[in-house]
Amino acid sequence: MTAASDPHHGSPPPRVCFFGHRSMGTWQIRAEQVSSTRRHWTASGALRPDRILKHDVFCFVKRPHRTKMRLLSALGKVVLFDALDCWRQPEDGVANDSLDKIRLWFEQFFRDLPVDGVIFANRTMAEDLRDLVPNPSFIYHHYRPTLRPVAVREQARVVGYEGEAAYLGPWRAIIESACRKRGLSFVVNPADFSDIDIGVAARGGEHASLMARRYKSNVKLANFYGAGIPCVVHSEDVSYRETDNGEVRFFASAAELEARLDELLPLATRRRVQETFLTSAQAFTLASVADRYERYIADLVAARRARARAMPVPSKQVEAQ
């Protein structure tokens, strides 16, 4: 590794602890899986004294435990907040139905947050809110590490959705109707992800708030990339727009959904889409996303160390020298 490519700027790599509730859906992806990529990173649901002493950086996932953050900051630790899904869902999304209201909600949420940096779920969230926090950045979701490319069957048979079924809202009935017309089966959370020929991602009803549309992650599309599954996704979900490789099919109405499904039925099309998806998946591997975390963290730690070196030596120490 050259000096120019060294994310630690020639210093020992910082020891990082990802902190949060192990019961959260985001925990496995944004804490346990990411932390598993580095020997000097860990994930913990408890802030014990030995963990405080052992680590240099603490990244709080989803929930900002302000008292703990203040303690760590006072101890000279670098404190980060991963703001993925940090609002109450769907309540806060329903209550804040305009960009002005969303902005005000986050102004209050981030007020006096004792952190050195904030990681947002996508570029739009970072651009909307970057002036409210120190050292803003964004990191997309990686795809599930166990995924492998699916077999492209000669005839598509299964359209699949992975996630909380309630999030589909009225789209579920629309998708089921479109599939019946084409002799396709629609499955929610299939036992085997590789059974899916065409994937779908959509939000409806109270779960399709402006806040959710703009700030929810790209995880479903990332998984379709990782498995090479052609897909149709809702056009208002910003993370999918940001990470679209040009072969994602978008829809905003029942008619558009049916048209996009028809586009993906030919075998040659699905083979081509899979090839492009598997190429695009390289940007969303666990290793790639972990590298993004590492660079961001290393820059903040280096800046902290540079400020410490630049601090004037107390006068008594100068006299002693």
Side-chain angles (χ1 to χ4, degrees):
M1 179 180 294
T2 65
S5 65
D6 179 8
H8 308 297
H9 308 280
S11 300
R15 297 159 298 180
V16 183
C17 178
F18 292 81
F19 181 82
H21 290 298
R22 293 185 180 276
S23 61
M24 296 188 309
T26 54
W27 174 258
Q28 183 181 18
I29 297 176
R30 299 290 267 200
E32 290 186 340
Q33 290 179 4
V34 171
S35 68
S36 72
T37 65
R38 302 291 188 274
R39 287 178 298 178
H40 49 284
W41 292 2
T42 61
S44 176
L47 198 61
R48 301 192 308 265
D50 61 318
R51 292 201 181 278
I52 295 176
L53 292 171
K54 183 178 179 180
H55 295 89
D56 309 298
V57 179
F58 291 81
C59 182
F60 288 72
V61 178
K62 186 173 181 176
R63 296 285 181 261
H65 299 265
R66 294 172 189 269
T67 300
K68 293 181 174 66
M69 286 177 166
R70 292 189 189 99
L71 169 64
L72 293 167
S73 183
L75 292 172
K77 307 296 183 179
V78 173
V79 180
L80 308 177
F81 179 53
D82 191 329
L84 183 78
D85 289 350
C86 63
W87 63 94
R88 291 181 306 158
Q89 301 173 40
E91 296 88 351
D92 289 329
V94 171
N96 298 283
D97 56 0
S98 70
L99 284 178
D100 286 342
K101 290 181 180 179
I102 290 172
R103 170 81 179 185
L104 179 59
W105 189 92
F106 276 102
E107 282 181 0
Q108 296 171 343
F109 181 84
F110 287 127
R111 185 170 295 155
D112 300 324
L113 192 68
V115 296
D116 297 277
V118 172
I119 300 167
F120 293 110
N122 62 23
R123 182 184 298 276
T124 296
M125 191 177 188
E127 291 177 349
D128 284 355
L129 307 173
R130 64 183 307 112
D131 62 308
L132 302 180
V133 301
N135 298 308
S137 188
F138 67 93
I139 299 178
Y140 293 121
H141 254 315
H142 60 273
Y143 65 79
R144 196 159 57 245
T146 57
L147 291 179
R148 297 293 180 268
V150 303
V152 180
R153 291 190 281 252
E154 185 170 348
Q155 183 172 344
R157 299 195 298 266
V158 177
V159 174
Y161 167 85
E162 190 176 53
E164 182 63 47
Y167 293 169
L168 287 169
W171 280 111
R172 179 166 188 170
I174 295 169
I175 296 167
E176 288 174 340
S177 175
C179 288
R180 280 196 301 271
K181 292 178 184 178
R182 290 157 179 78
L184 300 167
S185 298
F186 176 62
V187 296
V188 174
N189 294 320
D192 189 340
F193 199 61
S194 66
D195 289 340
I196 299 174
D197 296 296
I198 299 173
V200 64
R203 290 182 166 272
E206 64 182 3
H207 297 284
S209 66
L210 181 62
M211 194 181 289
R213 293 284 196 209
R214 291 181 75 81
Y215 302 154
K216 291 292 287 185
S217 82
N218 64 304
V219 65
K220 290 182 175 60
L221 179 54
N223 283 336
F224 292 143
Y225 281 162
I229 298 175
C231 62
V232 294
V233 305
H234 198 280
S235 62
E236 294 182 14
D237 289 330
V238 171
S239 283
Y240 302 147
R241 287 289 189 184
E242 289 184 7
T243 56
D244 170 30
N245 74 343
E247 286 285 6
V248 177
R249 267 52 178 186
F250 290 94
F251 66 91
S253 66
E256 288 182 357
L257 169 66
E258 295 198 17
R260 301 296 88 78
L261 282 174
D262 288 339
E263 289 177 12
L264 292 175
L265 292 179
L267 174 62
T269 300
R270 285 182 287 115
R271 281 178 172 166
R272 186 188 74 247
V273 172
Q274 181 181 79
E275 183 177 347
T276 69
F277 273 22
L278 294 177
T279 298
S280 297
Q282 298 309 305
F284 304 101
T285 63
L286 175 58
S288 176
V289 168
D291 285 347
R292 181 78 183 265
Y293 274 95
E294 184 174 42
R295 289 192 296 270
Y296 176 67
I297 291 169
D299 286 343
L300 292 184
V301 170
R304 167 72 68 85
R305 289 170 176 167
R307 288 195 299 270
R309 289 193 298 269
M311 289 180 63
V313 180
S315 57
K316 289 185 178 181
Q317 292 186 24
V318 172
E319 293 172 1
Q321 292 174 359

